[in-house]
Amino acid sequence: MENVLAILLAGGAGERLYPLTKDVAKPGVPFGGAYRIIDFTLSNCINSDVRRILILTQYKSLELVRHIRDGWNILSAEVGEYIEVLPPMQRVHHDWYQGTADAVFQNFQSIEAEAPDHTLILAADHIYKMNYHEMLDWHRERNADITIATIQVPPWESGRYGVAEIDNDYRVVGFVEKPQANPKPSRFDNSMVSASMGIYVFDTPVLLAALHEDAQDPDSSHDFGRDVLPGLLGRHRVVAYDFRDINAKQVRYWRDVGTLDAYYEANMDLVDVVPEFNLYDQRWAIRTKVTQQPPAKFVFAQEGRRMGVAVDSIVSAGVIVSGGRVLHSVLSPGVRVNSYCEVEYSILMPGVEIGRYSRIRRAILNTGVKIPDSSVIGFDPAADRAKGYHVTECGIVVVA
């Protein structure tokens, strides 16, 4: 892809994912066993032939930066390709990033130095597959100044998104952040509404002018969806692009894993017999840092309870299931499940160890957690809360 710069917004605190984000930025949270959340957006970039990428970090970014350094050093600077992490540098003012638009504005000098024809703005914390090249073609074919990627959602879900009003020429003529009533029907399907995915293509001069203008507005929250885009609708040609899912399933897959329950459900999507999100399609590979671990191992095949087995589950490298039973769960690298354990519908992050005779159900165990022998988690919410565990609205127990 010629003269396109991608900017990944990876600086959010991820407060709704706490305690998983206690020590790591939201895009750096493990996902799906072997991956980090940011890997999905980065894989979309590489598969779309977008090879100049800036990642804007802020909160608790050390682990995320190391993941990028060790796992994504795959491009060649000799031919102008790179993935570069930009921490807040206070080159423009002395505040941390005040919003998504301010994060990009504070790095406008880096954009000017690259002089791209088009700038692609991406969130680094969503799970989906998308060919950005197709979106850019749509942008050029319609002589757009700005293109907003949208996905069709039912009207009753519109209160969770920014919703675009689109005319017959695909031009965006209205944009409402989280409408509570009467959202405009989608141009692409009038039984649905077109929700913004937080993915934008800008002609770079338009982007830079808009960012400087927004920075001078004392009443702005400096957010693309809330402030910048609505202010540009009447002055620039803003068009909508309807999301085409490379995942190639019956239902288009795009997940904002911004809450613990959404994060849990997205992981559970992966362990279905026919998963909603396909990790195994090598035509659109999902890349990550390769963990140096031995192969997974299952030990004890005795009759009765002591049998090492995992069914309908993702099992990563370095996992040992030693005489325990695992059902419909995600086991990350280095997990150990000891004898006579039962683990069901759970997410075990890297380095978790489950002590003997323990029973775990509908739980998320954070990185490095060691569960004592004979523990019971996920069967009694009151008892789990009394132990200091976090229990979500949907009853998922999070052990930090």
Side-chain angles (χ1 to χ4, degrees):
M1 184 179 288
E2 295 183 1
N3 208 20
V4 174
L5 176 68
I7 298 178
L8 274 63
L9 303 174
E15 294 166 344
R16 295 179 299 162
L17 269 184
Y18 190 88
L20 303 184
T21 51
K22 178 177 180 292
D23 298 309
V24 62
K26 178 180 171 184
V29 171
F31 182 88
Y35 304 97
R36 304 281 178 146
I37 292 174
I38 197 173
D39 290 332
F40 295 86
T41 305
L42 283 172
S43 294
N44 285 336
C45 287
I46 300 304
N47 292 334
S48 301
D49 200 27
V50 176
R51 304 298 178 92
R52 290 192 293 162
I53 303 166
L54 300 178
I55 302 175
L56 309 188
T57 62
Q58 184 160 253
Y59 299 105
K60 303 171 185 175
S61 61
L62 179 59
E63 190 170 339
L64 175 63
V65 170
R66 287 174 173 170
H67 175 73
I68 301 301
R69 179 195 67 193
D70 298 339
W72 285 94
N73 56 348
I74 60 176
L75 301 181
S76 174
E78 293 183 0
V79 293
E81 302 173 346
Y82 58 82
I83 298 174
E84 186 170 359
V85 177
L86 296 182
M89 290 181 282
Q90 298 185 342
R91 291 190 297 183
V92 177
H93 53 69
H94 295 294
D95 294 321
W96 281 39
Y97 298 148
Q98 302 300 300
T100 55
D102 182 62
V104 181
F105 170 69
Q106 288 202 42
N107 292 280
F108 76 85
Q109 293 159 324
S110 296
I111 301 173
E112 290 178 338
E114 294 300 318
D117 294 332
H118 302 96
T119 302
L120 183 62
I121 307 294
L122 304 168
D125 53 6
H126 297 158
I127 309 299
Y128 66 107
K129 296 181 182 180
M130 179 177 175
N131 189 337
Y132 303 132
H133 199 294
E134 294 178 353
M135 183 177 175
L136 187 70
D137 287 344
W138 179 274
H139 177 88
R140 288 168 170 163
E141 289 166 4
R142 279 151 187 82
N143 297 313
D145 299 314
I146 306 157
T147 297
I148 302 172
T150 61
I151 186 170
Q152 298 169 28
V153 300
W156 57 85
E157 292 186 8
S158 61
R160 299 167 50 197
Y161 305 100
V163 174
E165 179 183 356
I166 308 166
D167 70 10
N168 291 333
D169 191 32
Y170 303 105
R171 184 165 183 168
V172 179
V173 295
F175 191 87
V176 181
E177 190 72 19
K178 299 180 179 179
Q180 299 304 308
N182 302 318
K184 297 294 183 180
S186 171
R187 165 67 177 80
F188 303 99
D189 180 347
N190 61 17
S191 69
M192 309 288 273
V193 299
S194 286
S196 172
M197 299 172 67
I199 299 170
Y200 315 114
V201 173
F202 281 86
D203 285 356
T204 300
V206 174
L207 172 65
L208 292 173
L211 292 176
H212 280 81
E213 180 179 339
D214 176 73
Q216 301 303 315
D217 183 356
D219 298 321
S220 175
S221 62
H222 309 298
D223 181 82
F224 276 108
R226 189 174 295 111
D227 306 293
V228 175
L229 290 171
L232 297 174
L233 295 184
R235 297 179 289 152
H236 292 279
R237 181 168 174 78
V238 183
V239 304
Y241 170 78
D242 192 45
F243 171 48
R244 190 177 82 84
D245 190 3
I246 302 299
N247 193 44
K249 294 286 186 174
Q250 185 173 0
V251 177
R252 289 185 280 192
Y253 194 96
W254 175 78
R255 296 289 185 272
D256 179 353
V257 289
T259 68
L260 290 168
D261 287 323
Y263 173 85
Y264 174 83
E265 291 298 333
N267 273 273
M268 291 298 102
D269 286 343
L270 302 176
V271 295
D272 288 338
V273 175
V274 181
E276 291 187 51
F277 190 80
N278 185 4
L279 293 174
Y280 303 95
D281 183 1
Q282 290 305 308
R283 295 170 299 178
W284 200 266
I286 306 299
R287 295 169 170 83
T288 188
K289 173 186 173 182
V290 178
T291 303
Q292 297 301 320
Q293 294 270 11
K297 184 179 182 181
F298 303 81
V299 294
F300 296 114
Q302 301 173 6
E303 295 295 330
R305 293 181 60 203
R306 197 181 189 196
M307 177 177 289
V309 60
V311 180
D312 292 345
S313 298
I314 285 176
V315 180
S316 304
V319 168
I320 299 176
V321 181
S322 176
R325 187 179 72 90
V326 177
L327 173 66
H328 209 83
S329 295
V330 175
L331 306 187
S332 303
V335 163
R336 182 169 183 129
V337 179
N338 287 303
S339 293
Y340 310 110
C341 290
E342 295 182 1
V343 177
E344 300 179 342
Y345 298 89
S346 294
I347 303 166
L348 277 53
M349 294 207 181
V352 166
E353 182 171 348
I354 310 297
R356 286 181 162 211
Y357 297 101
S358 294
R359 298 166 62 214
I360 313 294
R361 184 177 69 181
R362 285 172 54 81
I364 303 172
L365 308 188
N366 205 4
T367 300
V369 164
K370 310 297 182 186
I371 300 298
D373 291 353
S374 303
S375 296
V376 178
I377 297 173
F379 292 84
D380 184 341
D384 290 328
R385 291 189 180 95
K387 296 172 186 174
Y389 304 152
H390 179 87
V391 182
T392 73
E393 291 181 0
C394 294
I396 308 303
V397 183
V398 184
V399 181

